[in-house]
Each structure stands twice: as C-alpha cells, then as structure tokens.
Amino acid sequence: MWVFLLMMSILLCPVAASTASPDVKPGCHDKCGNVSVPYPFGILERSCAMNDDFFLNCSSNDEGHTELLDGNNPVHNISVLEGIYTVGIEAAFDCYNKSGTSTDSFAQSVTLRSGPFMFSDTRNVFTVIGCDTYAWMTNNEFTYGAACLSFCTKDVNMSDGNPCSGSGCCQTSIPKGLKSLDYSLSTSNDYTNVSEFNLCGFAFLVDKHSFKISDWPLSRKPKRGKDAYTTEVVIEWVVQNETCEQAKANRSAYACGANANCTYPEIGQGYRCSCNEGFEGNPYLREGCQGKLVIASWYDLIIMRMQVMLFPVFSCHVQCSSRFFFVGSILRFESGKR
C-alpha cells in the first residue's frame, strides 16, 4: 500500500511539458534546404547571425535547388557542439594523353571567410592520387608549404583496406591555424610510363572521417562544373579570437548564454561556449541551455520520493528543481534549475 501511495504522490506532482529548445533566434529560419543552420550562424537576415562573420548565403542554384554556401563552396553540415562545419571543395587535377601531352589541369585555391575560421588540422589531410604524381600546397602568405609524392609502376588496387602510403595514394597532415590553401600538381614523366592505367593525378584536402580510397580509382578522369569531384573539408570555428577572461570582461559582447560556460578548443586559439553539466542545447542563445532528460528507475524514484516526504522543503509545493514524466514503464527525471 505504501508503494502505491508513493506512486500516486509522484503522479500528483504538477509537471510541465517538455519542449525542444530552439536552435535559432526568434523569427529566424533554422534550415537552408536540407542543412540545419544553428545560431551563431544565420541566413536570410543578418540579424539572425551573431555577426557578419557567421552570416551564410542561402540561395537557389542553377537547378533551382536551395543551397547553403560559404563563398562558392556548399556547406553540408554545421555542428555547434564540435565547433565545426563541413564544405565541399573541388579536387585539383592534372591530365595527360598517352603521348605525354597535357590535356587538362586545374589548380585549387581556397581562402576562408574573414573571422575566426580555420582548416581543421585534426580532421583534414592533404591527399594525392596517381602513379606519376606529385603535388604541393602553400598558404597565401607563403609561411607554410608541403608536398606529397605518389608513384607506382603497375595498377594499384585502390581498396579501402590499402594504406595511403605513397603507392597510388599519398597523404600528409596540415598545421594548425591555416586560413588559406593553394595546391596544384605536376608529374615526372608525363604519365607515359603508366598511361595504360593512369593518365590523371588528383590532389585535395579531405576529412579523414569521410575519405574512402575506393572512391578514387587510378583510371578516374576529371569532370567540371556541377559534376566536378569534390571532397568533404572540415572548417573549425570559435566565436572570438580572445581568451575567456577577456571575453567575460566585456559582458555585452560575451557569446555564452545562461547555464553555459566559456571553453577553450584544442586548436589553441579563441573560445567557444558549452552548456554546463546537466544542461543541453545551444549555448550561444540567451536561454539555449535547458535541463536535460535522464532516465531513472522505479527504485530510484521511490527513494527520491521518500526523501521528499522526509524533507518537505524539497516537496512539489515549492519551486522544485526536478520534474517527473511518465513514459511507458519508466519515469523520466528532468534535472536542472528552473
């Protein structure tokens, strides 16, 4: 009987409906096509973004499809939690015919938007595909440069199980903090020694998580325009290039909302915001971090209710910091301050 009474007392506690916390400012659009655009980014109205650095172009392409763009590069995903977004960038290439005459080439140059954005050094890797191919990359300021060589004398099985170690495929890392990259290709013997199976080389920056060597057979020929081969590239961002102490000193410009705190990213510059423990949501919105739902067992809730009965000051007759929801055969317990 006492267990029944405890369950009834839980049921009789007033509860509030659980609503998903918004990811954009009031009145702003949260999607461009199929891509979610969370604050601090914004589209259509500049007031929907934290500042001009985070304002993205949402427009229709030549085929009439709505597309989210960072400059000329399509944006595929934005993550507030990780502080990244991914873009598609065309691969550079260099092609020859069997006589060793150059037939087509394209050198890539990418400069990121102004503001606190940089190529991710932990996610991206510079990759070269080919059997008579070398490629180099520099930044606009020529303070950084690297090269990668890929050679082979016979057709290589470009399967995902093969390492990208210099035979048909070569990879090298990039440093922290790069905001621009130029890369192009060349060849030693104009592909004449491997012309039966390889006439083109490719070079590109790519997210290690999305790269599949099987997507790049040595027989591949380049395409241009909307059919051009692109790779997923990860861009990291911070809200401001300043320390947490500097940011908190200027409360009017401080980016973190309620129940959120200033954190330092691994890239070693600037700051980001994250929800405090027990909260989840968008830490850049004023009330973006809300108490999150955790699952508690019947036993746990009975114990909690007994504690409430023993210590009336925490009962549901006052402003509790905990709320209960029945979901099937379990209860959900929402933690966090109200």
Side-chain angles (χ1 to χ4, degrees):
M1 177 62 70
W2 65 273
V3 173
F4 172 77
L5 292 174
L6 286 174
M7 292 301 100
M8 290 302 296
S9 64
I10 291 173
L11 282 169
L12 291 173
C13 277
V15 298
S18 178
T19 57
S21 58
D23 230 8
V24 295
K25 293 172 70 175
C28 294
H29 292 265
D30 63 351
K31 276 196 171 185
C32 177
N34 294 324
V35 182
S36 296
V37 187
Y39 190 79
F41 293 89
I43 54 175
L44 302 181
E45 297 290 341
R46 291 190 177 274
S47 59
C48 290
M50 178 175 289
N51 52 51
D52 285 348
D53 292 338
F54 290 89
F55 182 70
L56 296 175
N57 180 19
C58 180
S59 58
S60 297
N61 58 23
D62 295 338
E63 298 176 333
H65 301 304
T66 304
E67 194 171 37
L68 184 64
L69 297 172
D70 178 10
N72 295 322
N73 301 312
V75 178
H76 298 152
N77 179 64
I78 301 174
S79 172
V80 168
L81 184 63
E82 296 180 88
I84 62 172
Y85 66 91
T86 58
V87 296
I89 297 179
E90 289 186 29
F93 58 83
D94 190 23
C95 292
Y96 292 77
N97 61 23
K98 290 187 177 183
S99 301
T101 302
S102 177
T103 58
D104 200 4
S105 64
F106 169 67
Q108 182 60 272
S109 178
V110 183
T111 300
L112 299 182
R113 59 179 38 244
S114 62
F117 306 96
M118 62 219 75
F119 293 106
S120 172
D121 64 296
T122 58
R123 291 282 296 271
N124 298 316
V125 62
F126 184 60
T127 304
V128 177
I129 302 291
C131 276
D132 185 16
T133 311
Y134 63 90
W136 60 92
M137 57 180 171
T138 64
N139 60 350
N140 290 350
E141 299 78 18
F142 291 99
T143 57
Y144 163 75
C148 204
L149 294 85
S150 178
F151 292 100
C152 42
T153 57
K154 60 182 181 179
D155 199 359
V156 176
N157 179 19
M158 303 292 274
S159 64
D160 294 327
N162 286 350
C164 193
S165 56
S167 180
C169 178
C170 171
Q171 289 184 326
T172 187
S173 60
I174 64 171
K176 292 180 184 292
L178 285 182
K179 297 178 67 67
S180 63
L181 271 180
D182 301 320
Y183 41 94
S184 54
L185 302 93
S186 189
T187 174
S188 296
N189 299 301
D190 301 333
Y191 291 86
T192 53
N193 295 338
V194 293
S195 61
E196 293 301 318
F197 54 88
N198 180 220
L199 287 170
C200 295
F202 292 86
F204 45 85
L205 198 65
V206 63
D207 177 14
K208 290 183 287 189
H209 293 180
S210 66
F211 174 66
K212 295 177 64 177
I213 192 172
S214 59
D215 290 338
W216 295 90
L218 293 175
S219 59
R220 168 169 282 188
K221 302 291 180 63
K223 298 178 181 179
R224 288 184 177 270
K226 64 182 180 62
D227 296 322
Y229 294 115
T230 63
T231 57
E232 293 280 314
V233 176
V234 178
I235 311 299
E236 294 200 52
W237 53 272
V238 294
V239 283
Q240 293 288 346
N241 275 319
E242 57 186 9
T243 67
C244 289
E245 289 72 21
Q246 292 170 330
K248 291 177 180 178
N250 183 5
R251 300 302 297 186
S252 62
Y254 184 51
C256 304
N259 302 314
N261 198 20
C262 181
T263 60
Y264 290 115
E266 292 183 6
I267 53 178
Q269 55 182 287
Y271 78 93
R272 294 183 187 139
C273 302
S274 62
C275 292
N276 295 335
E277 185 176 356
F279 294 84
E280 62 184 3
N282 190 322
Y284 301 99
L285 292 169
R286 182 174 297 178
E287 300 294 337
C289 293
Q290 301 292 321
K292 64 182 180 180
L293 294 175
V294 294
I295 297 175
S297 68
W298 282 110
Y299 175 80
D300 292 332
L301 290 169
I302 291 171
I303 297 301
M304 284 190 286
R305 188 56 186 165
M306 290 178 66
Q307 291 173 338
V308 167
M309 295 177 68
L310 292 172
F311 302 97
V313 68
F314 295 107
S315 73
C316 290
H317 294 87
V318 297
Q319 285 288 324
C320 300
S321 62
S322 304
R323 291 174 289 181
F324 303 94
F325 303 90
F326 267 96
V327 181
S329 61
I330 61 171
L331 283 172
R332 287 186 178 273
F333 169 65
E334 182 174 344
S335 65
K337 297 179 180 178
R338 288 210 269 174

